[in-house]
Amino acid sequence: MNFTFLKVAAAAGLMAVLGTSAAAQQVLRFSHTDNPGGSRQAAAEVFAEKVGEYTEGRYEVRIFPAGQLANDPKAIEQLILGGVDFTVSATGSYATHLASLNLTAMPFLVDSYEQGWELYDNSDWLQGEFDKLPEVGFRVLATWEAGFRSFTTNKPLNSPADAQSMKMRVYPNDMIRWSMEAIGFQTVVMPITDVYLAIQQGTVNGQENPIDTIKSLRFYEVAPNITLTRHVYSPLPLTVSEATWKKFSPEDQAAVTRAATEAAAFSRDLVKNSVDSQISEMKAAGATVTVPEIGPFREAVASVYDEARAVYGAEAVDGLLADADAIRKAMPSN
């Protein structure tokens, strides 16, 4: 047999094998806005590793942190369109596509991480809302952790009276905006990726986010007054594009769900146990950390529940409030 023919045949066979291997492993795009050193990135790396392991290498999750592909609202839009396969964001960020999810940002629903986990994992009302999301174009796989929202400002914030002279950045969420305005802030809507520079330039006086986000995105550098109000529990549902989900076999759907759940456990443990050290690190870097009297803040936002009833209906608002109240009573915080 001609030697040249053998070489060509062998090369063609190798290319066919490589082509089959490349086709067998599909790349899935995971977009988020956390910095590479943040907890979202750490959990995303766990998720990516587990997806590869549990699908036996059929899928590779490629992570794009720090808003490389899109900010949070755009990433969710891309999720619906199929341009992004996974994203992880605050529940309220998804409310543009299911307005009732705004209600999860009602102030002071829960007082502890454990109460928050129970709310997101077992609230009948919230699970019912999550069940509507596949029709929108994405579904919740698990809930990762970010923590409780607090303030960073470039002027001291000890009470609602101090808010009267401040502009507060908010993301597009009615509940957050109503709460901030009830406290006394002027509100300015902008993507999180623009916030650091906006504070630096004086466009806004501060922002509110969980400690993990404040530390990761270094907001304490430009707004060094950290006020620990813990006014909203703000975890991070991990979502998958419904178009992507439908392409998975049942076995791969189970594998991806398992990976998401295990990454959620990692995320919850990491964030809960990192808060004190993160606060200490920010203080060492020059931030001032205060725990204000919470009563005046609670009183200031009391009107928000009635605003919510007027817009979203008493049945929805009272359903979530009832679930949260039952959880607080069953699991009193220390």
Side-chain angles (χ1 to χ4, degrees):
M1 184 177 291
N2 184 284
F3 181 65
T4 302
F5 174 79
L6 287 173
K7 287 198 298 181
V8 171
L14 178 60
M15 290 176 66
V17 170
L18 291 175
T20 301
S21 175
Q25 185 179 60
Q26 298 185 43
V27 173
L28 301 171
R29 289 152 58 97
F30 188 150
S31 174
H32 68 79
T33 55
D34 197 15
N35 277 345
S39 69
R40 261 177 276 187
Q41 176 66 14
E45 290 171 359
V46 171
F47 176 66
E49 179 185 349
K50 296 295 184 182
V51 168
E53 177 185 347
Y54 296 150
T55 64
E56 299 178 337
R58 288 187 295 279
Y59 292 95
E60 175 197 350
V61 175
R62 194 167 294 170
I63 305 164
F64 297 86
Q68 290 177 18
L69 295 182
N71 60 32
D72 287 310
K74 293 295 184 183
I76 296 167
E77 289 178 12
Q78 286 299 308
L79 203 68
I80 295 169
L81 296 172
V84 164
D85 299 292
F86 303 103
T87 196
V88 62
S89 186
T91 317
S93 296
Y94 299 103
T96 301
H97 306 284
L98 182 63
S100 57
L101 292 181
N102 275 318
L103 297 178
T104 62
M106 285 192 293
F108 301 109
L109 283 178
V110 295
D111 302 318
S112 70
Y113 284 101
E114 290 77 11
Q115 291 175 3
W117 300 339
E118 180 68 17
L119 182 70
Y120 269 75
D121 291 347
N122 295 309
S123 160
D124 289 339
W125 183 87
L126 189 51
Q127 290 303 315
E129 299 310 293
F130 284 168
D131 287 344
K132 299 173 184 176
L133 291 173
E135 294 181 10
V136 176
F138 57 90
R139 66 176 57 216
V140 173
L141 291 172
T143 302
W144 293 5
E145 190 55 85
F148 289 83
R149 303 180 81 90
S150 288
F151 294 103
T152 49
T153 52
N154 57 12
K155 298 189 289 186
L157 174 65
N158 297 309
S159 71
D162 293 328
Q164 303 292 325
S165 63
M166 295 193 206
K167 293 181 179 179
M168 177 61 52
R169 174 268 172 177
V170 295
Y171 67 100
N173 178 278
D174 285 346
M175 208 62 53
I176 293 291
R177 180 173 58 81
W178 293 342
S179 293
M180 296 304 100
E181 291 171 355
I183 290 170
F185 295 106
Q186 299 176 59
T187 57
V188 179
V189 177
M190 69 174 63
I192 197 168
T193 46
D194 296 345
V195 173
Y196 187 102
L197 185 61
I199 298 174
Q200 196 172 46
Q201 294 179 338
T203 306
V204 294
N205 298 103
Q207 62 85 51
E208 48 84 51
N209 255 301
I211 289 299
D212 184 75
T213 304
I214 292 168
K215 175 69 166 54
S216 171
L217 298 183
R218 308 179 76 88
F219 291 139
Y220 62 92
E221 294 178 345
V222 289
N225 298 283
I226 302 173
T227 307
L228 299 177
T229 49
R230 292 165 54 93
H231 49 274
V232 170
Y233 178 60
S234 187
L236 304 165
L238 168 68
T239 50
V240 59
S241 167
E242 188 66 10
T244 302
W245 180 257
K246 288 179 177 178
K247 293 176 184 176
F248 293 147
S249 67
E251 293 77 16
D252 287 339
Q253 288 178 350
V256 170
T257 301
R258 179 183 176 190
T261 301
E262 292 182 8
F266 170 88
S267 171
R268 286 174 170 181
D269 182 70
L270 175 63
V271 172
K272 180 187 176 186
N273 294 317
S274 297
V275 169
D276 289 345
S277 63
Q278 288 172 332
I279 289 173
S280 296
E281 289 173 26
M282 290 189 288
K283 288 173 68 174
T288 299
V289 180
T290 59
V291 180
E293 184 181 350
I294 298 299
F297 287 94
R298 286 184 180 272
E299 292 168 11
V301 299
S303 62
V304 170
Y305 305 109
D306 285 332
E307 283 190 81
R309 289 185 181 95
V311 173
Y312 298 99
E315 183 178 355
V317 172
D318 293 338
L320 180 54
L321 290 177
D323 283 357
D325 185 57
I327 288 167
R328 288 197 310 274
K329 289 177 179 176
M331 305 174 63
S333 59
N334 294 329

